[in-house]
């Protein structure tokens, strides 16, 4: 494998580090729902491309070993330009894939336990439509996915809000369930374990989900100031709350609440031409990463076929 064939595998590993800054601009320029979809699709493509690149680098290092090359039916070990280049990359790929798999498995188990606990707690309580009230001294409210969807709110949270503010809060949580925002949050969590550069984007996706629910709630109650006040009061009430909900159970008190309140109080404006450029940059980032990963993987496959004696250079 020539050095030029290794370079495409490095591009998907470097591009994710440029995404956090672009994600912040995306939240400022695009409508919340559009930003949520654009960022989630982009991180999924970049995560998949980075895993594919790491896998190809890992296999490149393994197939240089005569024993493993023999198990792979190679006539000779994979030929690479320099062990000083390939072996460190293969070792780094092995470490990143191992750590990513372990942390993802640990996170999945923790989230699954939290979801089962929250779901069991909600199912034991009588529900008024989709609303489930839990007796607790800790103010909390969140959208719980599942069948059926539930809006879980504690008695302490109900006491912290006025009746009209409660309706705005419920509208916010219903928007989370209606938009299936838990799926976006799960996708962001998976991507964050695939590449360290995508961890910061996880927070941007969570903020986009909250902003989308904020706008939907403001439309539902017909009062942006009321929605902003409800979110602010709920956030102040939950400062010292202890919640066992899973991370993908979206809540109105998540993320930078002052920034969200400011967005609700601001007059909605028309999207500028910069929004189109941000969207194009995200598409370009995903396209370049996926294309580079595909090129590198195909080049690796070609080299394997040569080592198997099936093709000549």
């Amino acid at each position: 494998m020539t050095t030029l064939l290794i370079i495409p595998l490095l591009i998907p590993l470097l591009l994710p580090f440029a995404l956090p800054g672009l994600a912040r601009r995306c939240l400022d320029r695009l409508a919340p729902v559009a930003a949520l979809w654009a960022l989630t699709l982009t991180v999924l493509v970049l995560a998949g491309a980075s895993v594919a690149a790491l896998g190809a680098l890992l296999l490149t290092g393994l197939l240089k070993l005569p024993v493993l090359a023999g198990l792979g039916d190679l006539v000779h070990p994979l030929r690479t330009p320099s062990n000083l280049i390939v072996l460190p990359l293969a070792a780094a790929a092995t470490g990143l894939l191992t750590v990513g798999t372990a942390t993802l498995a640990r996170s999945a188990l923790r989230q699954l336990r939290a979801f089962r606990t929250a779901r069991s707690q909600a199912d034991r309580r009588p529900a008024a439509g989709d609303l489930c009230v839990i007796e607790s001294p800790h103010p909390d409210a969140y959208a719980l996915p599942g069948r059926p969807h539930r809006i879980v709110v504690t008695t302490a949270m109900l006491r912290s809000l006025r009746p009209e503010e409660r309706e705005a809060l419920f509208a916010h949580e219903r928007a989370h369930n209606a938009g299936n925002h838990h799926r976006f949050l799960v996708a962001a969590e998976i991507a964050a374990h695939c590449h360290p550069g995508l961890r910061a984007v996880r927070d941007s996706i969570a903020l986009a989900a909250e902003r989308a629910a904020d706008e939907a709630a403001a439309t539902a109650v017909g009062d942006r100031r009321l929605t902003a006040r409800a979110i602010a009061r709920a956030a102040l009430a939950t400062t010292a709350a202890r919640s066992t909900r899973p991370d993908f159970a979206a809540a109105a008190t998540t993320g930078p609440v002052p920034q969200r309140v400011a967005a609700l109080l601001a007059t909605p404006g028309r999207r500028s031409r910069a929004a189109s450029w941000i969207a194009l940059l995200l598409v370009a980032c995903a396209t370049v990463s996926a294309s580079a990963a595909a090129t590198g993987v195909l080049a690796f496959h070609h080299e394997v076929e040569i080592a198997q004696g099936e093709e000549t250079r």
Side-chain angles (χ1 to χ4, degrees):
M1 181 180 291
T2 65
T3 304
L4 291 178
L5 296 181
I6 295 178
I7 291 176
L9 295 176
L10 299 180
I11 294 176
L13 302 179
L14 297 176
L15 267 180
F17 291 110
L19 192 59
L22 189 59
R24 289 189 291 271
R25 289 177 174 80
C26 178
L27 289 174
D28 294 336
R29 303 294 184 180
L30 295 180
V33 174
L36 181 61
W37 275 98
L39 288 177
T40 304
L41 292 175
T42 301
V43 297
L44 286 177
V45 172
L46 264 62
S50 64
V51 169
L54 288 172
L57 289 172
L58 168 61
L59 291 175
T60 299
L62 292 178
L63 292 179
K64 284 184 64 63
L65 304 176
V67 174
L68 295 179
L71 292 176
D73 295 328
L74 272 63
V75 176
H76 55 76
L78 206 63
R79 292 171 180 166
T80 57
S82 173
N83 290 341
L84 295 177
I85 296 175
V86 174
L87 293 183
L89 289 176
T94 302
L96 289 172
L97 287 173
T98 301
V99 171
T101 302
T103 57
L104 178 58
R106 186 163 56 249
S107 174
L109 290 174
R110 178 175 60 83
Q111 295 298 324
L112 182 59
R113 285 195 297 267
F115 174 71
R116 286 177 174 174
T117 299
R119 191 75 213 185
S120 176
Q121 187 180 42
D123 290 342
R124 289 197 302 266
R125 302 292 193 281
D130 61 348
L131 183 62
C132 176
V133 179
I134 295 177
E135 184 72 32
S136 173
H138 304 293
D140 198 13
Y142 55 91
L144 184 64
R147 294 185 180 180
H149 289 329
R150 287 278 185 258
I151 297 172
V152 179
V153 60
T154 64
T155 52
M157 177 62 82
L158 293 179
R159 290 193 294 267
S160 300
L161 302 177
R162 297 171 181 172
E164 65 275 13
E165 293 169 345
R166 296 173 190 168
E167 291 305 316
L169 180 67
F170 298 158
H172 176 100
E173 305 303 350
R174 287 192 177 98
H176 279 311
N177 281 333
N180 289 314
H181 291 168
H182 64 282
R183 297 180 179 175
F184 296 91
L185 300 180
V186 169
E189 179 71 16
I190 293 173
H193 292 283
C194 292
H195 193 288
L198 299 177
R199 292 173 187 169
V201 188
R202 174 176 49 189
D203 294 335
S204 295
I205 291 176
L207 177 56
E210 292 304 324
R211 285 282 296 113
D214 290 344
E215 293 296 330
T219 300
V221 301
D223 190 334
R224 298 180 68 85
R225 296 187 67 85
L226 170 62
T227 304
R229 188 170 68 248
I231 290 171
R233 287 173 63 90
L236 289 174
T238 55
T239 299
R242 292 174 293 179
S243 177
T244 58
R245 64 174 181 261
D247 293 342
F248 57 81
T253 55
T254 302
V257 173
Q259 180 180 341
R260 292 168 49 204
V261 169
L264 282 168
L265 295 179
T267 303
R270 298 179 62 181
R271 299 293 162 181
S272 65
R273 185 176 299 178
S276 300
W277 284 108
I278 292 294
L280 287 175
L281 284 174
L282 289 174
V283 171
C285 192
T287 302
V288 170
S289 184
S291 299
T295 299
V297 170
L298 289 175
F300 164 75
H301 182 264
H302 178 68
E303 294 295 327
V304 170
E305 289 183 333
I306 292 174
Q308 289 175 332
E310 297 179 7
E311 290 189 16
T312 57
R313 290 186 181 272

